[in-house]
Amino acid sequence: MKQRILIVNSGGDCPGMNAVIRAVVKRAALESNWEIIGSIDGFDGILSSPYELKFLDEKSVSGIIVKGGTFLMTNNKRNPFNYPVKQSDNSIKYTDVTDQLIKNLKDLNISSIIHIGGNESHKISYQLSKKGVNIVGVPKTINNDLSITDYSFGFQSAVQIATEAVDKLVTTANSHNRVLILEVMGRNTGWIALHAAIAGGADVCLIPEIPFTIEKIIEKLESRYSIDGRGFANIVVAEGARFKGENLALSPGLIAREITARLKEKNFNHDIRETILGHLQRGGVPMAFDRILATELGVKAFETILEKKFGTMTIHKNGELTNIPLEKVIDKNNKIETTHNLIQTAKGIGISFGD
Ligand code: F6P
C-alpha cells in the first residue's frame, strides 16, 4: 500500500502557498509509493464528516505556481485543540478534537502531515507532534515575523505591492500638497513598512519596534513644506505601530486614522489622507523569489518526511535549506533590531521613525 501524506494549510493565505503544495506533489511523484492528499480549508477537511479531501496528482497542481491564495483554501480559526464544534442547539462549543483527528488519519492510512502556516499554526504543529503525529512544518507569513527562518515566502510579494502603493501615493500627495499615510500589515513587526518606505521613498516610517511621538512626526512633516504651504509628505505605518509611552494597541485599520486625528489635535494644518492597504498585500501573483522559495521548502518538506525527521520545520538559514525542531519555532517573533542595517540605511536617507 502507498504511504499517504496530508497537506494542511493554516492561518492567513500568502502568495506562494500553491507553489509549496505543487512542489510536494511533484517531488513525491518521483518516488513510487507515495500519495498526497490535501485537506480542504485547513483542518476542516480532515475533521468534517464526510471528509473534504482532495487527492493531489501532478495534473491537479498543473499551473498553480502562478496563482495567488491557495487552491486548498485556508483557515485561521480552526485549531484542533480548540475547535468550534456545533452542538444540537446550534451553539458552538470549543473542544479538543485532536483524538478524533488522529483517529481519522489512522482510518485513512495517512502516516504524516505537512503543515503550512505561521507562528500560531506551528504552535499547533508542535502540540500535535507531542501527541505522536508525524508532522513537518513549512513556514508561511507575509509579515516576515518568524525568527527561525531567514526568509518566508509571500513577504517579497507583499513588499512589492506596498511599494507600488507608496509610488502611487507619492504622486497624488505631490499634486495636492498633502500628507498621505499608508497603513500596511505588520502586527508585531515592521518589515513590510520598512522595506516599502525605503523602496517607495517615504519620509516617515512607523513600526512596532520603534514607538513614536506625534511631535517628532510633525517635525519631519513640516520640514517637507515651504513657508507658503507648498510641499508633500508620505508616511508608511505598520498596523501594529505604537505611540511612545502608551499601551494603546489598535486593531488593524485604525492606526493611520489615529495619527491623522492626533496631527489635527496638534493643529498640523496641511491636508492629510489615509489609505489602508489591507488584504491587497496578501493577494495576486507571487513574485519569482517567493515561488522559488516556496518550491524549495515544498521539496525539502517531502524529503524531510522521507528521512523521517518528524516534529521539525523546514527553513532557510544562512543560505542553506535545513530543519529545526518545532519547539524552537514557538513564540519567537522576528523583530527588527534598532541596530539593523536597514534602519540605519533609512535613517541615513532622512526617513524619520518618529523617535
Ligand atoms: O498575520 C498576517 C495578517 O495578514 C496580519 O498582518 C493581519 O493583521 C491579519 O493577518 C489579518 O487577518 P485576517 O485575514 O483574519 O483579517
Side-chain angles (χ1 to χ4, degrees), residues 282-298:
R282 295 216 309 236
V285 171
M287 287 185 62
F289 181 92
D290 286 333
R291 297 183 208 180
I292 295 164
L293 178 56
T295 301
E296 284 185 303
L297 293 173

Side-chain angles (χ1 to χ4, degrees), residues 26 34-35 55 72 79 93-94 104 110 114 136 144 146 173 184 239 260 276 295 335 346 355:
K26 284 179 98 59
W34 290 86
E35 272 178 343
F55 277 87
L72 288 182
N79 176 354
K93 189 173 172 206
Y94 284 85
N104 293 358
I110 294 171
I114 292 178
V136 170
N144 197 35
L146 282 160
V184 298
E239 61 192 349
T260 301
I276 295 151
T295 301
K335 299 260 183 207
D355 58 336

Side-chain angles (χ1 to χ4, degrees), residues 12 76-77 140-143 145 185-187 239 252 279 282:
N76 56 9
K77 294 184 176 62
K140 167 237 63 144
T141 157
I142 63 157
N143 290 327
D145 58 2
M185 283 186 172
R187 272 177 301 185
E239 61 192 349
H279 291 77
R282 295 216 309 236

Side-chain angles (χ1 to χ4, degrees), residues 124-143:
I124 300 170
S125 304
Y126 179 50
Q127 296 304 327
L128 285 175
S129 90
K130 283 209 292 190
K131 278 196 87 161
V133 177
N134 294 333
I135 193 160
V136 170
V138 174
K140 167 237 63 144
T141 157
I142 63 157
N143 290 327

